[in-house]
Amino acid sequence: MSVQQAIREVEALLGKERVLTTVEDLACYSFDGTADAPSKRPDAVIMPKTTEEVQAIMRIASKYKTPVYPRGAGTNLSGGTIPIKGGLVVTFQMMNKILEVDAENLTATVQPGVIIASLNTAVAPYGLIYPPDPGTVSTATMAGSTAECSGGLRGLKYGVTKHYIMGLEVVLANGEKFRAGGKTVKNVTAYDLVKLFTGSEGTLGIITELIVKLIPAPEAKKSMLAIFSDLDDAGKTIAGIIAAKVIPATLEIMDKTTIETVEAFAKAGLPTDAEAVLLIEVDGIPEVVEKEAQAVVEVCKRFNGKVQVARDDAEREKLWAARRAALPALARKSPTTVLEDATVPRSRIPEMLRAIRAIAKKYDLLIGTFGHAGDGNLHPTILCDERNAEQMKRVHKAVDEIFRVAVDMGGTLSGEHGIGMAKMKYLEWELGATGVDVLRRIKEALDPDYLLNPGKMVAGRS
């Protein structure tokens, strides 16, 4: 009853046209990009236009103790936006303006619903880029990717989302708002609240405005495809490139299963007889790019790699289109695609790849692995059918084992996908009981009623 009262008050505030309540509309917000995750329809979907409206929505939700789920494009892969306890989904497609491009200070100020690719299109005439580059760059929103602290293909050289968020405006669970950070390069005022809310997955507050760092676009780029008949040689090459003092903008890997699947899907000219390929791009000043590209070629050859260098932009785009096709191509092979996010120190990538193969064999599963080899962020992708209960039991055991191995190797549960619902049960493996309790204390200090994205990252006290 209290949820319906909250909805009526929000309708009076915004008008019924910005409060969706039909079964058809609600079904669209009952899931996100996560496979093998429970779906749940919210009670309403709300579309605010201003920060003040978000504040009013949160005051109403707080009054009626109604759960609220901030949502960007819903492309996350950890169950981060599924409204598992019902309540209100707040979505930001009507807050999608680029408020300012400040070329002098190398910043942009944006609303939460701005698409990442749209920001890059807007800043390109200034000779600037916003480097974070998740695989869903054409659909993911700025606030959603900030809440998840997305990574992407350029993470090795340029870092991830948290390295580019300079300031935030945030609405808290009780409807209050605050600003932290700004345009200054240096800012060490008190606790780093910008970093606290970046990667908080909507559990601490709702981001309503962002100031982000921009950088000059590189003058030149050169892309290469390195082909290996031995998985270990590919792993050694990754370490060898870094040891040669070259930090590529992008250093990606695809294993044999992924290569075969992508080639059947994208017809990109990938060698289906290879055990692994590396896709490598160096960028920067033209003279440096040529020098680094030659160094990369030499390292690849030293470890028995055959190298193809893209001769023009068309060949370059074809290579990267193949990499971005990895997930959709794998998804075509089976009804269900369980994409994980195990991340290890890059020196242990060959060991991790062998472990994934052994786990696939142990549980009689087909696993294609691709990912950001340069920063150790691998995406083992299990091809399965969620209608097959016996197979899904094996899938869940395999996932458990993959994360156990990654943590034991000194890795982490998530390089970029976040925790959401999917990885909550593993948190103590990495943080310990005290670390998880610290997360819970932070949550309860800012949202004592667990109204914001409940059931994600950290559970309430039992």
Side-chain angles (χ1 to χ4, degrees), residues 336-357:
T336 307
T337 307
V338 177
L339 173 68
E340 292 302 346
D341 183 33
T343 304
V344 296
R346 60 175 163 255
S347 62
R348 303 196 75 168
I349 283 179
E351 189 179 352
M352 188 65 197
L353 288 170
R354 286 195 298 271
I356 292 168
R357 281 191 171 185

Side-chain angles (χ1 to χ4, degrees), residues 187-208:
N187 185 331
V188 293
T189 302
Y191 297 129
D192 192 342
L193 296 177
V194 173
K195 289 289 192 296
L196 175 63
F197 283 84
T198 300
S200 64
E201 302 186 25
T203 63
L204 302 180
I206 299 177
I207 297 169
T208 51

Side-chain angles (χ1 to χ4, degrees), residues 310-331:
R311 291 169 293 185
D312 52 35
D313 284 346
E315 287 192 2
R316 175 184 172 273
E317 288 302 323
K318 192 173 182 180
L319 278 180
W320 294 110
R323 166 57 184 86
R324 291 193 183 280
L327 179 56
L330 287 165

Side-chain angles (χ1 to χ4, degrees), residues 299-318:
V299 171
C300 292
K301 288 181 176 178
R302 189 190 319 148
F303 293 106
N304 307 310
K306 297 178 182 178
V307 185
Q308 299 174 4
V309 180
R311 291 169 293 185
D312 52 35
D313 284 346
E315 287 192 2
R316 175 184 172 273
E317 288 302 323
K318 192 173 182 180

Side-chain angles (χ1 to χ4, degrees), residues 56-73:
I57 291 164
M58 287 312 306
R59 291 189 191 105
I60 293 168
S62 181
K63 174 181 174 182
Y64 292 107
K65 299 293 185 284
T66 302
V68 173
Y69 296 83
R71 183 182 174 107

Side-chain angles (χ1 to χ4, degrees), residues 99-145:
L99 302 174
E100 180 190 49
V101 176
D102 184 345
E104 187 174 4
N105 285 306
L106 296 179
T107 66
T109 303
V110 302
Q111 290 187 314
V114 169
I115 303 299
I116 299 172
S118 299
L119 175 60
N120 270 313
T121 299
V123 304
Y126 300 88
L128 302 172
I129 61 169
Y130 173 71
D133 186 35
T136 52
V137 66
S138 61
T139 52
T141 64
M142 291 297 297
S145 63

